[in-house]
Amino acid sequence: MVRYGMVIDLDRCVGCAACAVACKAENSVTSSTPEDYKNRRLMEWNRVVTVFKGKFPNVSASIMPLICNHCEHPPCVKVCPVDATYKREDGLVLQRYERCIGCKYCMVACPYQQRFFNFYDQKKKYVERFEKEAEELKKENKNVPITYLEIPYHNPDVPSRISGIVEKCTFCRHRIDKAIAEGKKIGSPDGVEPACTQACPAKTRTFGDLDDPDSEVSRLLRSRRNYQLRADLGTEPQVYYLD
Amino acid sequence: MEYTKINGKSTGSYVLIGILAIMVAVGLYEFIQGMIQGHESFGTSNIVPWGLPITSVIFFIGASAGALMLSSLTYVFGKEEYKPVSRVSIFLAILLIIGALTTILGELGRPDRFMNLFLYGPGNLSSMFAVNSFLYTGYIILSIVYLWTTFRDDLLKITKLLGAMAATLAIFVHTGTGAIFGFIVAKELWFSPLLPILFIVAALTSGVALLILILTVTFKLIGYKMDEKLVVGLGKYLTAFLLLQLFLVFIENIVRTYGGMGGGEMSKFLFEGPYSFVFWGIQIIFGTVLPIIILSSKKTMIKVQIASLLAVIGVFAERFSLVIPGQSVPSQQVVGRTMMGLYGEPAVYSISGAEVAIILGVVGAIGIAYIIGLRFIKLLPSQP
């Protein structure tokens, strides 16, 4: 059996957030506005946070990239009333966007806040925003960059999301599916890997098959001390952190 | 006992229907806007995805279950003194549960895909939403049949049986509603086996209190005389339910404080955070302790009415301080370590006009259906 997972070595992480940028570009996750930030509606499949313990001057802090943990016992799958969120045989927790009714039950059930609601139509908002900016540029008699109107960027491999549904990290399923179809090797260091893993300049992340004893992830988990996020909740995350 | 329809052709009744219709129109407008534009105008966020509509959904379901359980006093336990209000309480229970389901529609991100619940729901019965959608449907159908049998004097035994079944189903319906929250391991304020029981007690409180309010106001408006003994009798039940509710809230919070799950962050937010006035002020003092004090003196009609109004507000505040503060604090990712900056801060939910409009629209629709029901169905007792 294949069971995909990720190992994140926190000793290597420099907190540059290249993974977050790569994820946004790869999965065409909508760019958030200042209002979204204020209203806590950020779309961040991948985010980099700092956790700390203690009071100054005795503080210990560490930078942590957070993604969907693709749990072995996912609470989001358990609560989905329309079976839109499901766990694939290879361990990926995925969604059928066309089935989601937007009840947001998975969002309250996820202990990791890794699910994001589409408060508006991503594509419509994108077009509206750039049309407005182009108009303003025209008023000032400046050149309008061609990217503003003619190439609304969207990765053709990733389905677009309409307003009113929930979305989340997919472990770049389109890359994995493509690799399976083309018979390529999957997993770090020399195979196909998710965009965040590929983008990391410090080789913080390692992606691969947790059930394969020869894979890089298994080797890392054997050799180093590791933990999962909120293992006390019994969700069995498939993303491991090395400390 | 004889029942009668109301005339309901006075100017006042048409004015009332007009006001309620405006509420429905505004609510419908906001609902359609939400469907076209998305929920951008809502006060919800990715941290607090459930807002005021869910609060009122569980309030409506609770009031419905409470009203139905109350009707079993007459039809199952044979307490004839409550017969004048039992039939109309079944009718109200049906309206309230349908109203609750309509509010859910207004809260869904894609209400046009509502049928998916019934198409794919059976595929994942570990979801309380899927289980509940079948429980609620069964409950509505059973209640309608139960209401119909109360019109037939030759079906007394069947009424009794159906009444017992409907009251049992009402308990399960509300247990299921409580389980929506009680099963969520991620939220420290929700994950509790006591929650379904607290929901049932709160249902009874709000059911009785809402029934007293609606019926006394209805009787006053159409010029009927309300039997004071009946209201005082219901007031006694209300006192008992309020005391039980206060006790359960006390037990649950003492466990939260003593156990201090997750560093006690979430209970601290409930007790001291920006919503603490809802918990301490409205729920505990204004909505529970004050009506108990009022009811513990000699009960009169007006006292019971005031206490009922306070109890209804108190139960709504109880729902609010469960749903909103329960979600507000982002849960810790590494136990014992705090997240720095925005990610670790509690999200404050601000009530938005769109959500209030949708809820008021549903209230308006329930009101119109109630007035029309009184005009065309023999629900109220005829005056001697």
Side-chain angles (χ1 to χ4, degrees), chain B residues 256-307:
Chain B
R256 279 173 191 159
T257 321
Y258 195 95
M261 282 194 301
E265 291 259 329
M266 288 195 187
S267 18
K268 206 177 144 202
F269 185 80
L270 174 66
F271 298 146
E272 294 164 19
Y275 301 114
S276 53
F277 77 97
V278 177
F279 178 73
W280 291 113
I282 304 179
Q283 182 192 335
I284 300 290
I285 295 171
F286 202 63
T288 317
V289 177
L290 200 58
I292 290 174
I293 292 171
I294 292 174
L295 287 170
S296 59
S297 59
K298 195 179 178 311
K299 294 178 192 63
T300 57
M301 182 98 130
I302 186 77
K303 274 187 191 166
V304 176
Q305 276 174 308
I306 293 171

Side-chain angles (χ1 to χ4, degrees), chain B residues 19-346:
Chain B
I19 295 170
L20 294 171
I22 292 171
M23 279 159 67
V24 175
V26 175
L28 210 60
Y29 171 77
E30 285 293 348
F31 171 66
I32 292 165
Q33 280 295 311
M35 234 168 120
I36 299 168
Q37 307 281 352
H39 288 175
E40 221 181 335
S41 54
F42 279 34
T44 47
S45 60
N46 278 330
I47 312 290
V48 188
W50 282 355
L52 208 59
I54 290 284
T55 313
S56 46
V57 166
I58 53 178
F59 176 78
F60 286 150
I61 296 172
S64 167
L68 199 90
M69 283 185 241
L70 210 71
S71 78
S72 66
L73 276 181
T74 312
Y75 294 111
V76 183
F77 298 106
K79 287 197 182 290
E80 289 292 320
E81 62 264 39
Y82 298 111
K83 202 160 184 186
V85 298
S86 287
R87 192 183 274 183
V88 69
S89 79
I90 305 172
F91 182 63
L92 266 174
I94 296 168
L95 289 185
L96 282 167
I97 185 86
I98 294 173
L101 299 185
T102 320
T103 319
I104 294 181
L105 264 188
E107 197 269 344
L108 287 184
R110 306 276 347 152
D112 47 322
R113 294 177 180 173
F114 186 68
M115 274 318 285
N116 283 5
L117 268 176
F118 298 95
L119 294 176
Y120 305 116
N124 192 17
L125 282 179
S126 63
S127 167
M128 278 323 291
F129 267 6
V131 174
N132 282 346
S133 60
F134 295 103
L135 272 180
Y136 295 162
T137 319
Y139 173 71
I140 293 173
I141 295 167
L142 191 62
S143 306
I144 291 173
V145 178
Y146 171 40
L147 180 63
W148 175 74
T149 58
T150 61
F151 288 86
R152 300 277 300 264
D153 285 334
D154 52 329
L155 293 177
L156 271 179
K157 282 228 165 87
I158 295 178
T159 310
K160 188 171 179 177
L161 179 72
L162 280 177
M165 275 166 66
T168 315
L169 192 57
I171 292 173
F172 275 99
V173 158
H174 217 51
T175 310
T177 313
I180 290 176
F181 300 90
F183 285 179
I184 300 300
V185 72
K187 303 277 185 271
E188 278 137 32
L189 291 186
W190 293 0
F191 189 59
S192 153
L194 201 61
L195 212 56
I197 301 162
L198 183 61
F199 263 57
I200 291 170
V201 176
L204 286 165
T205 314
S206 61
V208 178
L210 204 63
L211 210 63
I212 293 172
L213 274 185
I214 292 177
L215 290 180
T216 48
V217 169
T218 312
F219 275 53
K220 182 106 194 161
L221 283 180
I222 58 175
Y224 283 14
K225 210 178 115 9
M226 188 74 175
D227 184 9
E228 183 153 1
K229 246 164 69 192
L230 193 153
V231 177
V232 169
L234 288 175
K236 280 180 190 154
Y237 283 100
L238 182 61
T239 323
F241 296 147
L242 277 170
L243 282 169
L244 194 55
Q245 187 186 326
L246 187 65
F247 175 67
L248 287 178
V249 169
F250 172 73
I251 289 288
E252 182 157 64
N253 284 303
I254 212 79
V255 172
R256 279 173 191 159
T257 321
Y258 195 95
M261 282 194 301
E265 291 259 329
M266 288 195 187
S267 18
K268 206 177 144 202
F269 185 80
L270 174 66
F271 298 146
E272 294 164 19
Y275 301 114
S276 53
F277 77 97
V278 177
F279 178 73
W280 291 113
I282 304 179
Q283 182 192 335
I284 300 290
I285 295 171
F286 202 63
T288 317
V289 177
L290 200 58
I292 290 174
I293 292 171
I294 292 174
L295 287 170
S296 59
S297 59
K298 195 179 178 311
K299 294 178 192 63
T300 57
M301 182 98 130
I302 186 77
K303 274 187 191 166
V304 176
Q305 276 174 308
I306 293 171
S308 302
L309 181 65
L310 292 177
V312 168
I313 296 171
V315 171
F316 195 85
E318 194 247 317
R319 306 311 206 200
F320 186 88
S321 61
L322 175 85
V323 175
I324 310 292
Q327 301 171 78
S328 290
V329 184
S331 49
Q332 289 177 341
Q333 298 300 302
V334 187
V335 177
R337 284 175 182 262
T338 322
M339 268 188 281
M340 205 180 266
L342 181 82
Y343 295 108
E345 276 170 29

Side-chain angles (χ1 to χ4, degrees), chain A residues 54-67:
Chain A
K55 282 205 174 76
F56 179 81
N58 298 316
V59 192
S60 73
S62 51
I63 302 160
M64 295 186 91
L66 300 177
I67 57 165

Side-chain angles (χ1 to χ4, degrees), chain A:
Chain A
M1 278 295 280
V2 188
R3 192 163 55 98
Y4 291 116
M6 191 180 275
V7 175
I8 301 178
D9 187 349
L10 294 183
D11 281 351
R12 284 166 170 262
C13 182
V14 293
C16 67
C19 47
V21 177
C23 176
K24 281 234 170 195
E26 175 73 21
N27 291 294
S28 301
V29 182
T30 184
S31 50
S32 304
T33 59
E35 287 83 59
D36 288 338
Y37 179 84
K38 215 171 63 197
N39 296 331
R40 305 291 288 268
R41 291 174 180 175
L42 296 180
M43 296 290 218
E44 297 173 296
W45 291 13
N46 187 323
R47 57 177 184 262
V48 182
V49 303
T50 311
V51 295
F52 69 97
K53 193 185 175 76
K55 282 205 174 76
F56 179 81
N58 298 316
V59 192
S60 73
S62 51
I63 302 160
M64 295 186 91
L66 300 177
I67 57 165
C68 170
N69 284 287
H70 295 268
C71 310
E72 193 63 37
H73 308 296
C76 54
V77 172
K78 227 190 254 172
V79 300
C80 182
V82 293
D83 210 9
T85 296
Y86 62 102
K87 188 156 177 76
R88 213 163 74 168
E89 278 195 340
D90 56 3
L92 268 56
V93 177
L94 299 172
Q95 269 175 292
R96 302 180 180 98
Y97 293 126
E98 72 285 355
R99 208 184 261 194
C100 175
I101 58 170
C103 68
K104 292 162 267 179
Y105 201 2
C106 52
M107 299 179 70
V108 297
C110 177
Y112 308 103
Q113 276 105 39
Q114 285 297 346
R115 291 185 153 264
F116 309 95
F117 186 69
N118 281 283
F119 284 92
Y120 46 77
D121 201 286
Q122 299 189 7
K123 215 168 173 181
K124 213 169 105 190
K125 189 99 173 180
Y126 180 96
V127 172
E128 268 173 18
R129 188 178 130 207
F130 281 101
E131 270 176 0
K132 209 174 138 198
E133 279 182 27
E135 205 112 301
E136 273 169 24
L137 284 175
K138 265 184 207 159
K139 264 186 208 157
E140 295 165 22
N141 284 326
K142 281 180 189 158
N143 280 338
V144 181
I146 189 166
T147 46
Y148 270 36
L149 293 174
E150 285 168 30
I151 319 166
Y153 175 72
H154 199 281
N155 186 349
D157 292 342
V158 179
S160 61
R161 277 83 62 182
I162 52 172
S163 76
I165 64 169
V166 178
E167 60 179 56
K168 70 178 254 307
C169 159
T170 63
F171 257 168
C172 286
R173 69 174 291 192
H174 52 281
R175 288 187 174 206
I176 295 174
D177 289 347
K178 217 174 184 174
I180 292 171
E182 289 169 5
K184 279 188 196 155
K185 189 172 176 281
I186 301 171
S188 309
D190 49 351
V192 172
E193 44 191 22
C196 52
T197 313
Q198 197 184 20
C200 184
K203 297 258 179 292
T204 299
R205 296 167 182 244
T206 317
F207 177 79
D209 182 5
L210 293 167
D211 276 357
D212 176 8
D214 302 325
S215 68
E216 182 72 7
V217 276
S218 302
R219 197 189 57 74
L220 275 171
L221 287 181
R222 263 201 311 274
S223 59
R224 298 270 302 273
R225 255 203 319 199
N226 59 69
Y227 64 91
Q228 296 148 305
L229 294 183
R230 292 312 298 270
D232 56 320
L233 297 177
T235 50
E236 272 297 309
Q238 301 299 295
V239 175
Y240 291 81
Y241 289 83
L242 303 179
D243 219 357

